[in-house]
Amino acid sequence: MPDIDSRSTRLIALRNEGRHAEALPLLQQLFAEAGQTLNPARSSYFMIMLEWKFLAEAYAPAYAALQAERDAQIQLLLSGQHDFGRHDSRAPQAGNTFGRRSRFSLIAEMNDTLGDARSTAELFAQLDTCAPELARQYAWQALPAVVEAGNFALAQRYHRAPLEHLDMVNALSASLPLFPAPDTAPRLAAELMNLVKDVRIAAAILRGQGQAAEADALCAALPAGLANDAMRALAQRELDAPGSITAELVNHQMAQEQQDQQT
């Protein structure tokens, strides 16, 4: 049997050539094998799901196949199989810096590709009823979908205090740049993005429960509480247009790389 790298290369070639009907069964085979692999590597899993996203956008049967696989993964999760792949609990997961891949995360990612946030919200509501410990574990990932579905009471029960990490972000700003050098993790920007996400979700919950004034006050409290003008401006842009921080990071790193090439 050809190794997974050669099959992945062939999969990409088939998709690029528009041979979608040949690409889909190969993609499904790679996915099925990843689900049976001991301690599957995050990198191989990421490639498979990215290729499925590309194929689903171009080929309706791939979209339908992803829906069917999503439903199968939901049944596995509800039957108690919480992790994707097989795991040896007796040995450390050498080389897998991301640790175990939760099946809920996989399902949520599939639903993002499918544009089906309601499925994520409904699954989370089921876990809230039958496995509240799991629901608490996955709440950070599920809450945007729960809010989008309009289940504000459920979201309120799991949402943490929105400004809980404000002091930590301000403390980090004393020693870390918002826009670090290329190939350096943007720790401060990432923490700021998480803080804004918490506030945005909390504000949506408040508005959904008829508390618009409280939501506006919370959104005003975030920039007001930040330690410097650069973070205030970036947080405000992220509140107004989610994704702004990521775009700013990409633009900054591209500009820095171009400058480095010219020197």
Side-chain angles (χ1 to χ4, degrees), residues 46-225:
F46 176 82
M47 183 284 300
I48 293 169
M49 294 311 301
L50 185 62
E51 281 301 308
W52 210 327
K53 174 180 172 63
F54 291 151
L55 196 60
E57 290 172 349
Y59 184 54
Y63 183 94
L66 184 58
Q67 285 180 311
E69 186 59 57
R70 183 271 318 274
D71 292 344
Q73 294 297 322
I74 289 174
Q75 292 307 310
L76 288 172
L77 175 64
L78 293 176
S79 73
Q81 299 183 49
H82 302 152
D83 295 325
F84 180 71
R86 297 188 298 111
H87 299 277
D88 185 354
S89 61
R90 299 168 299 175
Q93 297 182 46
N96 185 358
T97 58
F98 290 88
R100 294 188 175 188
R101 180 65 173 172
S102 78
R103 202 174 299 276
F104 185 90
S105 295
L106 167 65
I107 294 164
E109 186 174 341
M110 288 176 162
N111 281 329
D112 287 344
T113 296
L114 293 167
D116 192 359
R118 181 165 294 278
S119 171
T120 300
E122 290 174 350
L123 176 58
F124 185 75
Q126 284 183 272
L127 292 178
D128 173 62
T129 300
C130 67
E133 288 295 328
L134 280 182
R136 276 190 286 274
Q137 182 179 339
Y138 304 142
W140 66 273
Q141 190 167 18
L143 282 179
V146 175
V147 169
E148 183 177 334
N151 195 342
F152 302 113
L154 178 60
Q156 178 65 46
R157 287 200 288 107
Y158 283 93
H159 192 249
R160 65 190 182 192
L163 297 175
E164 178 180 355
H165 296 303
L166 177 62
D167 290 343
M168 180 267 287
V169 170
N170 282 336
L172 286 176
S173 71
S175 59
L176 295 177
L178 263 176
F179 302 110
D183 301 321
T184 302
R187 169 79 187 282
L188 178 57
E191 295 292 354
L192 180 61
M193 186 161 46
N194 289 335
L195 178 61
V196 175
K197 178 183 176 182
D198 286 343
V199 168
R200 189 170 59 247
I201 290 175
I205 293 170
L206 288 169
R207 290 194 176 95
Q209 295 176 324
Q211 302 176 61
E214 290 84 348
D216 292 341
L218 176 60
C219 290
L222 171 59

